[in-house]
Every structure is written in C-alpha cells, then in structure tokens.
Amino acid sequence: MKLYRAAFMHTPASPFRQADALHTEEDGGLLVDGGTILAIGGFSGVRAAYPDAEVVDLRGPDSSPGVLLPGFIDTHVHYPQVRVLGGLGMPLLEWLERHTLPEEAKFGDAEYARAVAGEFLAGLASHGTTTALVFGSHFAGAVDEFFAQAAASGLRIVAGQALADRMLRPELHTTPERAYEEGRVLTLRWHGQGRLLYAVTPRFSLSASEGLLDACAALLSETPGARFTSHINENVQEIAVVRGLFPEARDYLDTYERAGLLGRRSVLAHNIHATGRELDSMAAHRCTAAHCPCSNSSLGSGFFPLARHLAAGVHVSLGTDVGGGTGFGMLKEGLQAYFMQQLMPGGMPLSPAHLLYLCTLAGAEALDLQGQTGDFSVGKAFDAVHLSPLAGTPLSAVMEHAQGPERVLAALFTLGSSADVRQVWVGGDTVYGG
Ligand code: GUN
Ligand code: ZN
C-alpha cells in the first residue's frame, strides 16, 4: 500500500453539468493498493486511517508547487504521423496527399514501423497521457508491432488498423475481405489483452466504400467490447466529396449510421461542420465527438461548435490529432480549445475545470472506461501525472503565488508542457519518469 502525498485536483463529475465538479486538495493523500485507489482526502486524515501505509511524498524537498492530476486521455491521435508533425500551411486534403499519405506508405517496412511506434508511445507518456484512442497504420504488420510495444509501455491503448479501399494511394488500400480477415487476427491477438483494446477504424468515408464499411460493421459486431472510430465533417471540401460518393446518405454521419457503426463506444473526430440532424442522431446513439482544436487551427478546418454539441446532448472529448495537430500535449490542446471558444461567435466560455475535465474524465467517458480511469475516485486505477515546474520558471512563480486552485490550474494549461511532467503512472505502475 502506498500513500501518495501531493496537492491534487480532479473532476469526478462534468463541470458542464455540475458547477462544483472540480475537487482539490492542497495537502492531499491518495492511498493506492495493487494499482487501485483505496482512499482519497486530506493527507492527515488518510494517514490517520492507514498509519502503516508507505508514504510517497511527491512535494519534493522544498515543498515545490507541484500538482497531481489524473492521467490525460487523448481520444484522437495517429501513430504513423509522428514524423509529419509541423507540416503547416495546407488544408486537409492537400496535407494528406503531400505530407501524410507518403509518410504512412512507409509503414509497410517493419523496421520503420517499429521505430515510430517507440517514438509515438514515448510521446504520449512523456506528456502525461495515460490512455489514448489511436489511429493505427494501414499495414497490419505495423499495427501488430504497435500493439506489442503498447503492451510493453504499460499505457492504456485503444487502437486499430486504419482502413481504406479508395482515393488514398494504392499501397494504403485494402479490400473488404482482407480488412475483415486482418482485423480478426488483430482483434483475437490484442483486444482485451492487459490494458489494450481494439477499435475498428475506417479512415473516413471519403476513402471507404460501402462494402468496406459493412466489413467494419461485421468486425465490430463480432468483437464484443471493441470501439469504433473515424473522422467526420472536418473540412468543407472533404464533405462535398463524401456527399458525391454517397448520394443515398442523408449527410456525412449517415454514411456510418447506415452501416450500423454508431453506438455508445463510437468516437468521431472533428465534427466541425455538423448539421442539426447529425448532432441529434449522435446524441441518440450516444456517440462522442473528439474535438481537436490544434489540428483544426493548423489545417484551417474551422471552429468547433461546442455549444451546439452540448445543447444537442452530444458528448465531447479532446484529441491532439498528431500529426495534423501540433504535438502530444493535452495541456496545449485544452488551452487551444479555450482560445477557439473565446474567438468564435457563439463560443462557450471554458473554465480551468472544464479544461481539466475535457483532458481527463471526458475522454474516459468517450471510451466507456469511466469505471477504470479519468479521475481519482475510490475504486479507479491510479492513472496519474505529476506536474512540477522547475524552480525559477514562470510557471513555478505563478503557481507559488496563485490565489486558489483554479488559478493554479489555469496556469498549468497556459504555461505547462512536457518539461513539467515529473512522473506518470498507469494502474500504479510508473510509465514515465520517477
Ligand atoms: N481525415 C482522414 N485522414 C485524416 C488524417 O490523417 N488526419 C486528419 N486530421 N483528418 C483526416
Ligand atoms: Zn485524425
């Protein structure tokens, strides 16, 4: 049994629904046994109740102004796109053709796939991300290698083979039959193994025939507990092409809906240009929109209508969208979400508690993992990130003098980065630092 002593903050409820959702403890105690949280509260109270527990004091020798947060949950991030990060200056379809698809074509090479899998998983852990919904490679061998390394990393990873059978480039195309067969092998090998889960992952309707979407539906229905993820309504040009390819569909969402791919465990990335019908239907199916504000800014895709999603009852989480986005940092993603809502007409003002929720519990809920992770409630796994700025940095100065926990949290989102990540745990196991 370990008793972690630190200032901590978490959101065991949604601040979009509950005004007092942010829970904080300036001198907190978190009791962990076998990777599970057994007790939480003020340090002295937990200490008195469990006097024999080994105390792990995270405050440092000088009681540095660190904070323990639930591990971040990134609900949209691409494994084979680490090396295209920073490709600024293009809208989606041009960026795919010129930067990204040529890079993804390299993953037929096992050595290449292995090297990038390591870079990708290190990128997640070093930024404090403990759970991620990962778009895989189009090559089954690369996805297999990725899962093997993900298992060794200790992170919670939900991932799948990216699937397409048209309009990308020949090396990246499969057939419905092959997609199904390779998917069966991957799901049987990895789904439910340790902290790994499988996500059925057609890239987007633009590159998926109806036959391929039907194969996805078959794989999904034959894999209990599998998740579904794809892209939707990201870019106006993309949407126009999809409309032409699916003349029978009512809208973009309907291309997935008709195939039977939508449900409580479906996560659709972007959804910037959503219609009212699409939002109502997503709410009815209880799917999630993964908002990726850095990517939306970088690719000039548009402003995410957060207020419309929430008003319609659509669940929203956050994703970095590496490599259309700007890196693995979920703090940066939260800040960019805040900026965009500040700037857009009809934007929703976001508090630091909203940002923390979006980076943690909202992601767990998107993945239907809220029973295991997302906050520090008793019974959940100890998935955590310890953020502690170096003395002398602006973040350290602001945190030391901050008036109250909301100011500390705002400073973390504004000034924090991977440089401030000291240690990261998943299920009580250290996966970074320490
Ligand atoms: N739509 C289809 N593929 C992609 C991708 O790789 N990144 C983004 N942002 N959108 C996509
Ligand atoms: Zn994406």
Side-chain angles (χ1 to χ4, degrees), residues 347-418:
M348 181 155 221
L350 293 174
S351 69
H354 288 123
L355 303 187
L356 181 61
Y357 165 73
L358 285 168
C359 287
T360 57
L361 183 61
E365 291 166 343
L367 295 168
D368 205 9
L369 292 175
Q370 67 282 352
Q372 289 170 53
T373 189
D375 66 84
F376 293 141
S377 294
V378 168
K380 292 199 183 188
F382 183 60
D383 292 1
V385 51
H386 183 225
L387 294 160
S388 181
L390 291 177
T393 59
L395 178 57
S396 171
V398 177
M399 284 172 73
E400 216 168 305
H401 297 100
Q403 298 292 315
E406 293 238 5
R407 275 292 288 124
V408 170
L409 204 47
L412 283 170
F413 277 102
T414 309
L415 294 164
S417 74
S418 58

Side-chain angles (χ1 to χ4, degrees), residues 76-78 81 95 135 203 230-231 234 269-270 292 295 321-324:
H76 186 71
V77 57
H78 294 252
Q81 295 184 9
W95 174 82
F135 242 81
R203 186 161 195 138
S230 193
H231 295 93
E234 178 176 4
H270 305 301
C292 307
S295 167
D321 197 19
V322 165

